[in-house]
Amino acid sequence: PGGPVYDFMDISGTGAHAMDGYVDDGSAGPFAIGFTFNFYGVGYTNVDISSNGYLTFGADATDFSNDCPLVEGGQTPPLSIFPYWDDLDPGNAGQPSDIYYYYDAANHRFIIEYFRVEHYSSGSHETFEIILHDPLYYPTPTGDGEILVQYLNGMAQTGATFGIESYDEAAGIQYYFDGLYHEWAVEVTDSCALLYTTYSPDY
């Protein structure tokens, strides 16, 4: 109850290209969000996009190896949102794939879509998107912005990380890591939506 409703907004035809052609273990940005997005109590107006399936508000965005759980030992990119962190390969030669971004001013949200992005040298592709909501129009008890992640297709590869992590890596949510879901998590399948919010759950 109170969970998100899946409503995928494909911006592959309208959004701007974040990555220009073939990119492996790269990052792009910073891109203007269009509003101030509060993340763990701090406001940010720009975001960097990693080719490896995560966003960051100023930290390094080139790490391809998700071999450490979140909030453990400082071995993961801090200040980040991980919709699908793994060794991804957008724009691989011969594949119609890319990463797009779009400021949806009418609905007060910023959208990043990973469109048919290949797992490195696997032939498997993923399509998913991250939507950052303007806290002024989508208020929360703490003032932090809500993060909606939508998966068009389920996981083709299982060695990934889903979650969020604070700037000091002392707080975060690890929804999924290398085949293991959080004990309260629902399996990510086709047409699945996850919402990160500071509202208490409605059990």
Side-chain angles (χ1 to χ4, degrees), residues 4 16 26 60 68 73 77 87 99 102 107 113 128 134 155 164 189 198:
D60 176 65
C68 180
D87 191 359
I99 304 172
Y102 175 69
N107 293 296
E113 179 181 351
F128 56 93
D134 187 343
M155 288 181 284
I164 59 176
T189 59
T198 54

Side-chain angles (χ1 to χ4, degrees), residues 161-177:
T161 298
F162 302 168
I164 59 176
E165 189 171 60
S166 66
Y167 63 94
D168 58 2
E169 300 182 79
I173 296 173
Q174 182 171 283
Y175 192 88
Y176 178 87
F177 172 68

Side-chain angles (χ1 to χ4, degrees), residues 19 45 47 66 68 73 77 103 110 146 186 188:
M19 305 287 176
T45 56
V47 66
N66 66 316
C68 180
Y103 173 44
F110 186 77
E146 292 190 319
V186 175
V188 172

Side-chain angles (χ1 to χ4, degrees), residues 141 197-202:
T197 181
T198 54
Y199 276 107
S200 297
D202 182 8

Side-chain angles (χ1 to χ4, degrees), residues 4 15 43 97 108 114 116 136 140 152:
S97 67
H108 311 286
Y114 287 70
R116 286 187 49 80
L136 292 179
T140 65
L152 184 66

